[in-house]
Amino acid sequence: MQRKIYLNMHSREEAQQLFWTRFENSKLGTETVPAYQARERISAGPVFARFSSPSFHSAAMDGLAVRAEETFGATDEVPLTLDIEHGQAVMINTGFPLPPEKNAVIMIENVLLSDDGAKGVIRAPVYPWQHVRKVGEDIVATELLFPTGHQFRAPDIGALLAAGIGTVQVRCKPRVAIIPTGNELVRLEDYPKLLPVGKIVESNSGVLAALVAKAGGEVTVSPIIRDDFESITTHLQAMVESDADLVIINAGSSAGSADYTVRIIEQLGEVLVHGITIMPGKPTILGVVNNKPVVGLPGYPVSAIIAMEQLVMPLLARWQGIFLEPPAMIKATLARDLPSRAGIEEFRRMIVGRIGTDFIAVPLKQGAGAITTLTRANAILRIDAASEGEKAGQPMELDLLTPLPEVERTILCTGSHDLCLDLLNDYLRRQQPAFPLASTHVGSLGGIMALKKGMCHLAGSHLLDPEDGSYNTSYVRKHLADKDIRIVTLVHREQGFIVPRGNPRGIATIHDLFQDDLRFINRQAGSGTRVLLDYELDRHDLDPDGIKGYEEDEYTHMAVAVAVLSGKVDVGLGIKSAARALELDFVPLVEERYDLLIPGAVFDTPMIRRVLEVINLDGFKQAVELLGGYSTRETGQLVGLD
């Protein structure tokens, strides 16, 4: 099959204009729904009140209903006695109809009642209609309650019912059909236990359906369609001929030889756009079949989400007259350089936190397939297509994905990876208020450099000093001599060799890494694990060039464990808890100390105080030790720098 090359790529703005303009006159039908179910729906016409509210004069206070004119002249010096027994004044409760001929209410607190309740003494007059809700004070019958195109909110439901409106005519929700395609896709419910090798759970339709609902639409998801030209063509034709207002084909939009979507849309209708200068989301297809919009979204989750948010959701909203609130924006300083490809508008997922008076933005890893970068991110940075990237230290405008108060409570943790950090984050989120811990993994030395630049609240580190066998202190003295840094021990943990179950290559010591054809996976330069490996090699006078895979690295212990589990490598150096998590075998090498390095400037802030409280909890310590390979014997203790 010949590959389809992107031709005449469009910018995001051009694609939006072409797509939205083509369908701006599309009309949704109308339907009648009970007023109780009208929240978030859009009125299809003007809504007029049937009843007045209130429909009778009623008391706004508990007290005496009177004619106001009969109270004039009452003062402290000349009190006035009202005859309750013979009807000059009438006892009344809030909300009750005002008796005929009465036009005011005296608050009961301002009345001195006789013992038998027959008389009431007042010392001040009331004016006509005081403390009375008059007919139509809130709503007058026949008045316009809501215009065409109004999106009903919760209070509006009360107004509809109070005005005697039991049903309301609204615009139909746009109907969206989603067609997942791919030979590798399976339904989660079909595999309750083990997922076959080479198969992927079809999850994009769930994400896309949620985004359609957010834009006011309804979704139908078809069965998974195999990567077969005829099958996809037949199914797309059927969906276009259904009552769907818009059809999405997920996957098959890129330029690979098995990506049929653009050819199918060309055959059945018209392709408006194939390829948009955004990343993620470049392969997106915008087309027309039978005068209906057909969208080909990339299979990578982040690409699909970005394209959906930028192109499809706004169209669904425009059809209904819904205004999608733009995200709140914040100005934050970039923690690291962000190179970018000129000519492509890039959407970078970020973690933002507040340090002192400034907001700091830390980039998460790239990758259109890494949906967790969106679940972890609390902001998005848009890098303009004309830019070749942004420099560390620059203030940039970012779109917030979470409320600002949550961003302000976010703890930025940069440095060495450890599974305890995920556990710590969970415990911190259980508290009120929650302080989310956002950890990015750049290695122990990278964490120290982030502290030096003031770009994080704390850093995880386990740097071994080969000279004296100590951990972290000499590095703090060397690199952070001008900073007030507190060192708090988090855990002691076992480092060693992560190997497949049964240890088929018989790894026992560091010398075994030099076996013929043995494949090793390393950690990145600057990580404490890499420092440990180099220390052990030097201690045994071994040349790292003899290890196959020494130059190949990963950024986390779990990534090393996954490389072993997948069979990519035979062995990697990492922590016991990572091996245990994936049911791999582990050969211990050394116990090391893993510390949290915390600037003195934030040490007494509420967020760091909460961190210190949590790590000293018995429950947290027990949970850590259950992970395996950890000791909490010094957890929470301050380490001296002398």
Side-chain angles (χ1 to χ4, degrees), residues 293-604:
V294 175
V295 180
L297 292 180
Y300 280 131
V302 181
S303 295
I305 292 168
I306 296 295
M308 188 77 180
E309 290 177 336
Q310 295 301 312
L311 297 152
V312 179
M313 291 175 66
L315 178 62
L316 300 178
R318 288 161 76 101
W319 281 347
Q320 302 165 84
I322 293 176
F323 176 72
L324 290 179
E325 193 72 33
M329 299 191 73
I330 194 172
K331 185 169 283 188
T333 301
L334 293 184
R336 296 201 293 273
D337 289 343
L338 286 179
S340 184
R341 177 181 162 191
I344 296 289
E345 181 184 15
E346 189 172 359
F347 292 75
R348 286 300 302 268
R349 287 82 75 196
M350 312 289 287
I351 287 289
V352 179
R354 187 171 188 166
I355 300 179
T357 59
D358 298 325
F359 287 98
I360 304 298
V362 181
L364 293 169
K365 66 181 179 181
Q366 292 176 282
I371 195 171
T372 54
T373 60
L374 275 178
T375 63
R376 294 178 57 211
N378 60 13
I380 291 279
L381 170 66
R382 300 189 192 195
I383 302 178
D384 190 84
S387 172
E388 293 186 357
E390 307 295 348
K391 294 291 186 182
Q394 282 186 321
M396 300 294 298
E397 292 280 355
L398 291 88
D399 295 340
L400 287 186
L401 301 177
T402 57
L404 180 60
E406 182 176 329
V407 172
E408 292 181 318
R409 294 195 305 270
T410 296
I411 303 170
L412 298 179
C413 175
T414 300
S416 173
H417 170 248
D418 190 271
L419 272 63
C420 291
L421 297 178
D422 294 333
L423 196 60
L424 177 57
N425 179 35
D426 183 66
Y427 268 75
L428 288 167
R429 286 179 179 267
R430 299 181 193 180
Q431 313 293 313
Q432 289 295 332
F435 288 96
L437 181 77
S439 56
T440 51
H441 314 306
V442 296
S444 296
L445 196 56
I448 286 178
M449 293 301 103
L451 287 172
K452 188 176 184 69
K453 297 173 183 176
M455 295 297 175
C456 62
H457 294 102
L458 55 86
S461 181
H462 59 111
L463 286 167
L464 171 68
D465 186 342
E467 298 297 324
D468 60 11
S470 65
Y471 282 92
N472 301 318
T473 52
S474 64
Y475 292 88
V476 170
R477 287 194 296 266
K478 177 181 178 181
H479 297 287
L480 301 171
D482 59 338
K483 303 283 186 182
D484 174 17
I485 300 294
R486 319 289 173 84
I487 302 177
V488 178
T489 295
L490 182 61
V491 290
H492 289 265
R493 65 184 192 178
E494 289 185 65
Q495 280 263 36
F497 300 115
I498 299 175
V499 296
R501 295 183 70 175
N503 192 5
R505 298 302 294 261
I507 304 298
T509 71
I510 197 166
H511 297 275
D512 296 321
L513 301 183
F514 294 83
Q515 295 179 30
D516 291 341
D517 298 326
L518 182 135
R519 298 162 300 167
F520 178 74
I521 190 74
N522 209 344
R523 287 292 305 281
Q524 80 277 20
S527 67
T529 301
R530 179 72 161 260
V531 171
L532 172 63
L533 175 66
D534 291 344
Y535 167 72
E536 290 293 326
L537 290 172
D538 184 65
R539 190 165 71 90
H540 292 89
D541 197 25
L542 296 171
D543 184 357
D545 289 342
I547 301 176
K548 184 178 180 180
Y550 178 86
E551 298 299 331
E552 298 180 26
D553 53 39
E554 291 285 1
Y555 276 73
T556 68
H557 295 284
M558 287 305 296
V560 170
V562 167
V564 174
L565 179 67
S566 67
K568 176 183 176 182
V569 299
D570 300 301
V571 60
L573 189 61
I575 55 177
K576 183 176 182 178
S577 57
R580 183 171 177 178
L582 297 184
E583 298 183 344
L584 297 167
D585 281 356
F586 179 80
V587 180
L589 179 64
V590 67
E591 185 188 64
E592 63 180 10
R593 196 180 75 224
Y594 181 93
D595 295 329
L596 300 178
L597 314 184
I598 307 170
V602 301
F603 197 77
D604 289 323

Side-chain angles (χ1 to χ4, degrees), residues 34-224:
Y36 284 106
Q37 299 173 15
R39 189 179 70 87
E40 303 300 330
R41 301 300 298 271
I42 310 299
S43 60
V47 181
F48 297 97
R50 290 180 57 227
F51 301 155
S52 294
S53 178
S55 58
F56 54 87
H57 299 323
S58 63
M61 299 284 179
D62 294 343
L64 297 181
V66 297
R67 285 195 61 78
E69 296 82 353
E70 295 179 0
T71 69
F72 294 167
T75 65
D76 284 335
E77 293 76 17
V78 185
L80 179 65
T81 299
L82 299 175
D83 187 347
I84 298 173
E85 183 177 9
H86 295 95
Q88 183 185 18
V90 178
M91 296 292 295
I92 194 169
N93 293 328
T94 301
F96 277 47
L98 201 65
E101 308 302 324
K102 306 301 183 187
N103 65 359
V105 173
I106 304 170
M107 293 173 59
I108 193 65
E109 294 91 333
N110 296 333
V111 179
L112 179 63
L113 293 173
S114 61
D115 291 342
D116 59 2
K119 305 289 183 182
V121 177
I122 61 172
R123 297 178 179 275
V126 290
Y127 53 81
W129 306 111
Q130 187 173 358
H131 303 315
V132 173
R133 292 193 69 213
K134 293 184 286 185
V135 170
E137 178 180 280
D138 189 11
I139 299 170
V140 177
T142 75
E143 78 167 288
L144 177 67
L145 272 184
F146 303 107
T148 302
H150 177 79
Q151 187 171 25
F152 294 110
R153 302 165 301 149
D156 300 336
I157 309 303
L160 288 170
L161 297 172
I165 299 167
T167 62
V168 63
Q169 193 175 40
V170 297
R171 293 172 182 164
C172 290
K173 294 184 176 185
R175 297 175 291 270
V176 177
I178 298 175
I179 307 173
T181 70
N183 296 340
E184 75 283 7
L185 299 180
V186 296
R187 300 189 315 161
L188 177 61
E189 53 267 35
D190 292 339
Y191 293 91
K193 294 183 179 179
L194 190 63
L195 195 65
V197 175
K199 296 298 181 181
I200 300 172
V201 172
E202 196 288 292
S203 59
N204 280 359
S205 62
V207 179
L208 299 178
L211 293 175
V212 169
K214 185 177 179 181
E218 294 180 333
V219 166
T220 299
V221 179
S222 81
I224 298 167

Side-chain angles (χ1 to χ4, degrees), residues 253-305:
S253 67
S254 64
S257 59
D259 293 324
Y260 303 122
T261 303
V262 70
R263 293 176 51 227
I264 294 171
I265 296 174
E266 282 178 333
Q267 176 177 297
L268 298 178
E270 177 188 358
V271 173
L272 301 175
V273 174
H274 183 207
I276 303 174
T277 57
I278 60 174
M279 188 172 69
K282 184 179 77 171
T284 301
I285 303 167
L286 306 175
V288 187
V289 178
N290 289 6
N291 294 318
K292 287 186 180 180
V294 175
V295 180
L297 292 180
Y300 280 131
V302 181
S303 295
I305 292 168

